Amino acid sequence: MSAYGRALERDASLAAVALGRALRAAGLPVTPDRSVTFAGTTALLDPRERRSLYWAARLSFVTARDQLAVFDAVFAQVVDGVHDPADARRTDRAQPPPPAAPRRQPAVRHGPPATRAASDGRRHGAETLAGPGEPRTLPVGISASDLERLAHVRLDELDDVELHLVGDLLRRLAVATPPRRTRRARAAHRGEHLDLRATLRRARRTGGDPVERLRRQRRERPRRLVVLLDVSGSMAAYARAYLLLLQGAGRGARAETFVFATRLTRVTRALREGRARSAVERASAAAPDWAGGTRLGEALREFNDGFGRRGMARDAVVVVLSDGWERGDPALLAREMQRLARLAYRIVWVNPRAAAPGFAPVTGGMSAALPYVDELVSGHTVAALDAVVQAIGRHR
């Protein structure tokens, strides 16, 4: 075992900081949270396996292709013992390691999102990446063993380290809603309507003869995405992972996000601002009844009265993430779901209990809401969340 491997066994955090500082001194944009990611990953690895350490460090620290040559040089020097991890304590004397001969790397074509590859490593194909030792065939952007295993573990069974590992996959899920046609139109070569005014203006060039007929087509925009997340006691373990997914959806699909248990709390701004961990902490702090009881009907009535009928839910895709346990009156939930169904384009209900063998929607809340739900999916694992993304993007 190398000196760096022994340092990992003694103190993983110190060894991760040492590698991060060496990379930052060599010019890579390494931040403290990337060192934390690498330290958490090493807990699942054997320090004696250099190849595993290489890929864990590469996925943690490298953010662009042009950084690979510097990373390989620094990693070889640190792990092979040229750089002593104990030097991390002496920051005043830290010097960048001398550059080594850059190793030629094959061109990596960035394929589909890494989350889809994690759920099925063979779905989008693979590429041969040259790492230390012989080449390996890996789906681009993920490590083969840990992330593929975690992709099929129930979200409520993930510990903090495992959730940190899959967090980046959850945030990369390409959540997109189906498009809607607006009232505005634009010029198009093969548009559906004749642009009479533009055609007559163009006809002035040809003596009033409309030789060229111009056409227009209505613009399309993605539909609004509204998410209601149950953070009651029965859903608290899933809510941690769902908030990471919603943080990516809030930035990509501009989702409006609410959390509820006994009351409704809007957390859209908290999820759009800052880094992932701080955003999740702000979102949980903004919900005063986190891990409390569940009153689905009252939460939906508050949303319909305060946001839905004012335009937020109109012609939007509404996603409810809840197991359907209801402490209030199921009749109230049925009435509010009926109101919501009149406004929304589609309602997708994500129930992690739906994946259990012999599941039947017989609970009071779930049975009352089901007649107004367009699609029921489980979303109980990272791999199952792919079905959630497909349901959000599906046309009615």
Side-chain angles (χ1 to χ4, degrees):
M1 183 187 301
S2 65
Y4 192 80
R6 291 191 295 270
L8 277 176
E9 289 187 333
R10 291 193 305 268
D11 192 338
S13 299
L14 177 62
V17 169
L19 180 58
R21 284 178 176 170
L23 291 169
R24 186 168 59 252
L28 266 65
V30 175
T31 56
D33 60 321
R34 297 189 182 278
S35 298
V36 172
T37 302
F38 178 58
T41 307
T42 55
L44 305 175
L45 304 177
D46 186 353
R48 295 170 295 183
E49 295 183 5
R50 186 181 187 279
R51 183 184 302 173
S52 299
L53 291 177
Y54 173 86
W55 286 109
R58 176 168 164 171
L59 292 173
S60 300
F61 293 114
V62 176
T63 58
R65 264 181 289 179
D66 56 0
Q67 301 172 3
L68 290 176
V70 177
F71 171 80
D72 285 345
V74 175
F75 181 86
Q77 293 180 7
V78 172
V79 173
D80 292 339
V82 176
H83 179 77
D84 186 1
D87 289 342
R89 300 188 183 93
R90 303 189 291 273
T91 57
D92 55 330
R93 291 183 290 173
Q95 297 293 332
R103 182 179 304 165
R104 296 192 63 182
Q105 297 291 333
V108 179
R109 300 182 303 274
H110 293 282
T115 49
R116 306 288 178 88
S119 63
D120 186 358
R122 296 177 301 274
R123 182 182 303 174
H124 300 299
E127 296 187 15
T128 301
L129 304 180
E134 66 274 8
R136 299 177 62 193
T137 301
L138 290 173
V140 175
I142 64 171
S143 59
S145 56
D146 295 330
L147 295 182
E148 286 185 356
R149 176 182 62 83
L150 295 177
H152 299 278
V153 176
R154 295 183 63 92
L155 296 176
D156 60 340
E157 297 176 357
L158 297 175
D159 58 26
D160 292 339
V161 176
E162 293 172 336
L163 184 63
H164 187 77
L165 284 174
V166 302
D168 193 44
L169 300 181
L170 293 174
R171 289 188 294 271
R172 289 185 193 174
L173 271 171
V175 180
T177 56
R180 65 177 181 87
R181 302 176 70 186
T182 66
R183 294 182 179 180
R184 295 182 178 273
R186 61 179 178 85
H189 181 64
R190 297 184 179 180
E192 54 188 355
H193 300 294
L194 177 66
D195 191 343
L196 185 58
R197 290 184 177 180
T199 300
L200 292 178
R201 285 196 300 267
R202 183 66 60 87
R204 296 176 183 175
R205 303 178 183 179
T206 55
D209 188 6
V211 175
E212 183 179 2
R213 298 182 181 181
L214 303 180
R215 311 189 71 83
R216 295 181 66 82
Q217 185 174 358
R218 291 173 64 179
R219 296 178 182 270
E220 289 187 347
R221 290 185 178 178
R223 298 180 185 274
R224 182 182 290 110
L225 177 61
V226 180
V227 183
L228 306 174
L229 172 60
D230 185 352
V231 294
S232 62
S234 60
M235 284 288 296
Y238 289 99
R240 300 181 307 158
Y242 287 155
L243 279 174
L244 294 175
L245 170 66
L246 297 180
Q247 193 221 0
R251 292 184 175 182
R254 306 294 294 176
E256 289 286 348
T257 308
F258 298 81
V259 296
F260 67 90
T262 57
R263 70 186 77 176
L264 189 74
T265 306
R266 188 178 183 180
V267 294
T268 302
R269 179 176 297 179
L271 290 178
R272 288 181 184 175
E273 294 177 352
R275 300 183 183 275
R277 181 175 299 180
S278 59
V280 170
E281 291 174 354
R282 284 198 298 270
S284 59
D289 54 346
W290 187 279
T294 309
R295 297 188 181 275
L296 281 167
E298 294 181 5
L300 280 177
R301 179 171 60 184
E302 185 177 352
F303 171 77
N304 287 332
D305 292 342
F307 302 95
R309 69 177 185 179
R310 295 183 179 181
M312 182 177 291
R314 193 173 305 278
D315 213 23
V317 178
V318 180
V319 181
V320 182
L321 299 105
S322 174
D323 55 4
W325 290 101
E326 169 68 301
R327 291 179 55 186
D329 185 7
L332 173 62
L333 175 60
R335 289 196 301 270
E336 296 305 320
M337 284 294 296
Q338 186 179 29
R339 290 178 61 192
L340 184 61
R342 294 195 189 106
L343 296 172
Y345 176 75
R346 269 172 57 86
I347 298 179
V348 178
W349 194 293
V350 182
N351 186 345
R353 316 294 179 189
F359 168 80
V362 295
T363 60
M366 197 70 252
S367 60
L370 196 60
Y372 309 101
V373 173
D374 293 285
E375 193 162 351
L376 175 65
V377 289
S378 65
H380 63 295
T381 65
V382 175
L385 287 177
D386 189 58
V388 177
V389 173
Q390 294 180 15
I392 293 174
R394 191 169 291 125
H395 288 273
R396 185 162 54 189

